[in-house]
Amino acid sequence: MLWLSICAIFCTTLLGILFKEAGDRKLNLYNVVKINYSTCILLGLLHTDRQLHADTLADLLKHAIPLGVLFYAGFSSFAYSVKFCGLPLSTSYQKLSIALSVPYLACSGIPLNLIQIAGFTSALLAIYAFHKAKSNSTINTIQQRLLLWSCLIISAIIEVGFANYNAHSKQVHSSSIMLATLVFLFALSTGMIHSAIYPKTTYTKSLKAEIGYGILLGIPNYYSIYSLIGALHSEIAPERFYPILNCSVILLSVLVARSIYHEKLNRNQLLGIILSLVAVILLHL
């Protein structure tokens, strides 16, 4: 359905914008991420069928636990990447995660076609263009590069995890919603363990603001997943839906960053974004 696609695009784009706002206000983004997942869990319980069979629940838990850990790590990396590297580059790196499916397929013994190879090449050129920036670039420090690469790699592992779930499970809408809710639960648990091990990550100057941004973030975060699941269980073909979603989010993020936050991109970075769009389209054909 069209409205599900629009909702997924809007909510996904809003996540980066809210992280940009929270980062500019120097809030503790780890706290924001944890409150976000608390909100997602509450929303998930409103939409979840809690009368699933025990075997189904056990299968969901098997996938939800590792995905929850990855969700917390990936979302935290994306949050700080937006803060230190900017919205367009962080979004582009996150959406380029599809490129890592190519070496994964190759290692699995699945033959690659020329379109996949061209898409993978375009993704490599995009990353090269981003890192070829001059000394006034936003991605010169090791920390910033690590954040961007973390966004890409963790997102790729999450995609493989969901692909594995879809390949070995009955793709029922209710069980997909339950899986998402359980993933949010274990993401929050991972965040709490992280805070217990590193208490400094809980330090806050403005807890009320962090709670507010966490709730504001959790609503679009949950409904981006909810509308994504709904779209994929409708008549929309995944090979059409994903490139529209990812390209739209990249383009909207660039537009917002340029018009509202006045983030400047040099020629290499603009070239990298164009190549990222090409890679996303080719890798979904």
Side-chain angles (χ1 to χ4, degrees), residues 5 98 166 171 228-246 280-281 283-285:
S5 302
I98 183 64
N166 290 330
Q171 298 184 33
L228 173 64
I229 293 171
L232 293 176
H233 282 85
S234 68
E235 298 177 355
I236 303 174
E239 60 271 17
R240 293 177 57 190
F241 176 74
Y242 279 118
I244 293 173
L245 170 66
N246 292 336
V280 168
I281 293 171
L283 289 168
H284 283 99
L285 293 178

Side-chain angles (χ1 to χ4, degrees), residues 50-266:
R50 280 159 277 179
Q51 297 181 344
L52 294 174
H53 193 274
D55 291 340
T56 302
L57 183 59
D59 182 62
L60 293 176
L61 287 172
K62 179 178 67 176
H63 293 88
I65 294 173
L67 284 171
V69 175
L70 290 167
F71 261 55
Y72 177 75
F75 215 40
S76 298
S77 297
F78 180 64
Y80 281 97
S81 178
V82 171
K83 177 178 180 177
F84 293 116
C85 307
L87 185 56
L89 270 64
S90 301
T91 304
S92 296
Y93 265 77
Q94 189 182 56
K95 301 310 175 186
L96 280 173
S97 59
I98 183 64
L100 294 189
S101 65
V102 174
Y104 173 77
L105 293 174
C107 292
S108 301
I110 300 174
L112 303 175
N113 58 44
L114 289 177
I115 295 178
Q116 289 171 318
I117 295 173
F120 183 66
T121 302
S122 180
L124 291 178
L125 291 173
I127 293 171
Y128 175 76
F130 287 139
H131 285 273
K132 194 183 175 184
K134 302 296 182 181
S135 59
N136 61 348
S137 167
T138 59
I139 59 168
N140 281 321
T141 71
I142 294 176
Q143 180 189 22
Q144 290 167 332
R145 290 174 186 260
L146 286 174
L147 284 170
L148 290 170
W149 276 100
S150 295
C151 289
L152 189 153
I153 294 172
I154 296 174
S155 296
I157 298 173
I158 290 173
E159 289 176 6
V160 171
F162 274 113
N164 182 60
Y165 167 75
N166 290 330
H168 297 90
S169 305
K170 295 180 180 179
Q171 298 184 33
V172 181
H173 184 269
S174 59
S175 62
S176 297
I177 297 297
M178 174 63 89
L179 174 65
T181 304
L182 289 172
V183 169
F184 293 138
L185 174 62
F186 288 109
L188 175 61
S189 301
T190 303
M192 300 301 290
I193 294 171
H194 179 226
S195 297
I197 297 174
Y198 299 101
K200 288 184 179 180
T201 60
T202 62
Y203 174 77
T204 178
K205 290 183 178 179
S206 181
L207 183 58
K208 288 184 179 179
E210 288 165 7
I211 292 174
Y213 272 97
I215 294 172
L216 286 175
L217 187 71
I219 295 171
N221 191 15
Y222 176 80
Y223 283 105
S224 67
I225 301 293
Y226 183 84
S227 55
L228 173 64
I229 293 171
L232 293 176
H233 282 85
S234 68
E235 298 177 355
I236 303 174
E239 60 271 17
R240 293 177 57 190
F241 176 74
Y242 279 118
I244 293 173
L245 170 66
N246 292 336
C247 289
S248 298
V249 171
I250 292 174
L251 289 172
L252 286 172
S253 297
V254 172
L255 180 63
V256 170
R258 186 70 184 90
S259 59
I260 297 178
Y261 300 109
H262 307 292
E263 291 188 17
K264 295 182 179 180
L265 298 171
N266 59 38

Side-chain angles (χ1 to χ4, degrees), residues 1-40:
M1 296 181 184
L2 180 61
W3 74 269
L4 286 171
S5 302
I6 295 173
C7 181
I9 292 169
F10 173 77
C11 289
T12 305
T13 305
L14 191 57
L15 300 179
I17 296 172
L18 288 170
F19 275 138
K20 176 67 178 175
E21 287 287 334
D24 287 350
R25 284 165 171 73
K26 302 186 185 304
L27 301 181
N28 186 330
L29 298 180
Y30 288 119
N31 288 339
V32 173
V33 168
K34 284 178 287 191
I35 295 164
N36 142 79
Y37 282 129
S38 300
T39 305
C40 289

